[in-house]
Amino acid sequence: MIWLRIAQGVLCAVEVCGLYFLFHLFFDLRFNQLLGRLILWTTGILLCCLTIYQREVGGMYSRYYMFICIFISICVGSIFYKVKILEVSFVSSLYYVITYFFDLLFGYLGEVLFDIVDLVIIVQAKLTLERVIVMLISRILIVAAMIYIVQKKSVLQRIFSKYRVIFWSFVFLVYTGLYFCEKIFYTPYRVEGKTDVYFVIFPVFVIFFFVIIVMYIMYIEKKNEIQLVNNQNEMIEKNYQEMILLYQKRERVFHDMKNHLSVLALLLSEKDINRAENYISKINEPILELEHKKYTGNRIVDIILADKAEKAQHHNINFEIKANTIEEGRIQDIDWCSILANLLDNSIEACIKLNEEDRWIKLILNQNDCAIIIDISNAYNGVISKSNGFFESSKPEKYLHGLGMMSIKSSVEKYNGIMECKCEMNIFKINISLFY
């Protein structure tokens, strides 16, 4: 009997720890000090003890205790984690409703498959081996779900942020099934065979509804992905064409230089110094306008930097560039447009919102034996919004929001790169490493 109590206690601890693990996985701690963590884990221990006591005294299943656990979990999540009440309510409700639904379902299946009369009543009222087995099976499924969630964390976060209403309807559906299935504890329903119908209809209906949800989300995500790729390609192509046109314009100016030199030679041979000086000043204007500074020696990178430096100067932005030699061929031209041009466009866009005296951008561009490092920092107004994990643009066109950062992320991933963003003291910093 003692080992059954120990087993039940361990399974109760797994139940509570599973929820705390979900909180820790998806939410950021509000208090990082040792005292805050100790208080957090103390609440977990107390909840474990309360759950073990309830199983000993009140039985395996209790709808009222489930509500108590959900309420306590919402309080813990709201106090100790940086999370909205709606989100922590969803996680807590879904977790406990599914766990309790599994307990009832597997108890009923054991009764049907092994022809054990009143098995559900037995495991509900007494601590037996059968109760431990039922709880063990449901907790194994919960742990398996946790492993899957860890692997798909980023995807699940993005999907939940977009389809909250659908997921809440799923929670409501599972709870409805749980409400009707718990009538297995009432003799009139058991005698009339109504509980058999409940345990057949609701699991099938829940699975069907879940499959419909998955298929719908996959369809919408695929549709959005295609649209996103098309928009990204348009943006990249636009940046690339701008760089090529700038390069071609510069080449035409320097191509005409031999004709200019011929005219200058003629004027000097005629000793017409005044006309020669005027002519030099005229041909010097387009040359200065298209002056191509060799920041890195990489043609496309230098064109991008020259173009963005000109835009920054036009908006009275102090643009500081520190760069060493960047080899050509390591990174494709189209990816330089996607990454570097988009990053600098975002920095210029952020600076334009500030007073002129506060506008500045710093770019550090280095190459070592195995990677190219891009480090950009700029001033901003301290206001940044995110959508589905991406920083939003302030452009009025809603369909363009976040596309630049998505395009950057896509190109960075091609080179197994790393991208880190930080915001502190009205300074936005982004660091990218692109590996060969």
Side-chain angles (χ1 to χ4, degrees), residues 258-269:
K258 59 182 180 181
N259 297 325
H260 297 317
L261 291 175
S262 298
V263 173
L264 282 173
L266 180 62
L267 292 174
L268 291 174
S269 65

Side-chain angles (χ1 to χ4, degrees), residues 128-139:
T128 61
L129 177 61
E130 288 81 2
R131 177 196 282 191
V132 171
I133 292 175
V134 168
M135 292 179 63
L136 177 63
I137 295 173
S138 63
R139 273 54 176 183

Side-chain angles (χ1 to χ4, degrees), residues 69-87:
C69 288
I70 292 174
F71 175 75
I72 294 174
S73 302
I74 292 172
C75 293
V76 170
S78 303
I79 295 172
F80 292 96
Y81 292 89
K82 300 175 183 178
V83 58
K84 298 177 181 177
I85 292 181
L86 189 64
E87 293 181 1

Side-chain angles (χ1 to χ4, degrees), residues 135-358:
M135 292 179 63
L136 177 63
I137 295 173
S138 63
R139 273 54 176 183
I140 288 175
L141 286 179
I142 294 296
V143 171
M146 295 292 178
I147 295 172
Y148 178 80
I149 289 172
V150 170
Q151 296 174 344
K152 303 293 183 180
K153 174 187 173 183
S154 59
V155 176
L156 292 174
Q157 281 181 318
R158 179 170 56 86
I159 290 176
F160 173 69
S161 65
K162 295 172 65 175
Y163 305 100
R164 288 189 178 93
V165 176
I166 294 177
F167 283 101
W168 269 111
S169 64
F170 181 73
V171 174
F172 178 76
L173 178 65
V174 176
Y175 173 73
T176 303
L178 178 65
Y179 173 78
F180 280 95
C181 289
E182 72 178 18
K183 296 185 182 299
I184 196 172
F185 299 121
Y186 301 97
T187 303
Y189 287 89
R190 291 175 58 83
V191 172
E192 294 177 8
K194 291 182 179 180
T195 53
D196 295 333
V197 177
Y198 297 150
F199 276 101
V200 171
I201 290 179
F202 278 105
V204 172
F205 191 68
V206 167
I207 293 172
F208 176 77
F209 187 76
F210 182 76
V211 170
I212 294 297
I213 290 176
V214 172
M215 292 178 64
Y216 173 77
I217 291 175
M218 288 177 63
Y219 168 75
I220 297 298
E221 288 297 303
K222 191 65 179 179
K223 182 179 177 181
N224 292 340
E225 183 182 347
I226 293 172
Q227 183 64 37
L228 174 62
V229 169
N230 291 335
N231 290 336
Q232 285 179 344
N233 289 339
E234 289 177 6
M235 292 179 66
I236 293 173
E237 184 66 23
K238 180 183 177 182
N239 279 331
Y240 187 71
Q241 291 299 328
E242 286 179 355
M243 298 304 104
I244 295 300
L245 289 173
L246 183 65
Y247 180 77
Q248 291 174 346
K249 187 176 180 181
R250 171 182 164 275
E251 290 299 310
R252 284 197 299 270
V253 170
F254 284 101
H255 180 267
D256 293 338
M257 188 57 65
K258 59 182 180 181
N259 297 325
H260 297 317
L261 291 175
S262 298
V263 173
L264 282 173
L266 180 62
L267 292 174
L268 291 174
S269 65
E270 295 176 354
K271 300 187 184 302
D272 194 344
I273 304 301
N274 289 332
R275 288 185 63 188
E277 289 178 347
N278 290 333
Y279 192 82
I280 291 172
S281 64
K282 288 182 179 180
I283 65 174
N284 198 36
E285 291 177 2
I287 293 175
L288 291 175
E289 181 182 345
L290 294 172
E291 182 180 11
H292 183 187
K293 295 182 180 179
K294 292 191 177 296
Y295 297 100
T296 65
N298 184 301
R299 183 188 66 170
I300 193 68
V301 173
D302 288 348
I303 290 173
I304 292 172
L305 294 181
D307 178 54
K308 303 310 176 185
E310 181 182 345
K311 287 183 179 179
Q313 183 179 9
H314 175 73
H315 292 288
N316 296 317
I317 299 172
N318 181 19
F319 189 13
E320 180 182 342
I321 300 175
K322 294 182 179 179
N324 62 11
T325 302
I326 304 295
E327 296 179 16
E328 294 191 358
R330 297 288 190 179
I331 307 297
Q332 294 182 9
D333 289 353
I334 200 76
D335 292 316
W336 277 122
C337 288
S338 174
I339 298 171
L340 193 57
N342 270 317
L343 286 175
L344 292 175
D345 280 340
N346 291 343
S347 296
I348 292 172
E349 179 185 326
C351 286
I352 291 174
K353 300 175 183 177
L354 303 173
N355 297 327
E356 291 189 2
E357 62 271 15
D358 298 325

Side-chain angles (χ1 to χ4, degrees), residues 73-123:
S73 302
I74 292 172
C75 293
V76 170
S78 303
I79 295 172
F80 292 96
Y81 292 89
K82 300 175 183 178
V83 58
K84 298 177 181 177
I85 292 181
L86 189 64
E87 293 181 1
V88 74
S89 299
F90 170 79
V91 173
S92 302
S93 301
L94 183 62
Y95 179 81
Y96 277 110
V97 168
I98 289 179
T99 301
Y100 278 56
F101 186 81
F102 279 164
D103 285 342
L104 283 187
L105 179 62
F106 290 123
Y108 171 79
L109 290 177
E111 183 175 298
V112 173
L113 294 176
F114 299 101
D115 196 23
I116 303 175
V117 180
D118 294 335
L119 175 62
V120 175
I121 302 296
I122 294 172
V123 298

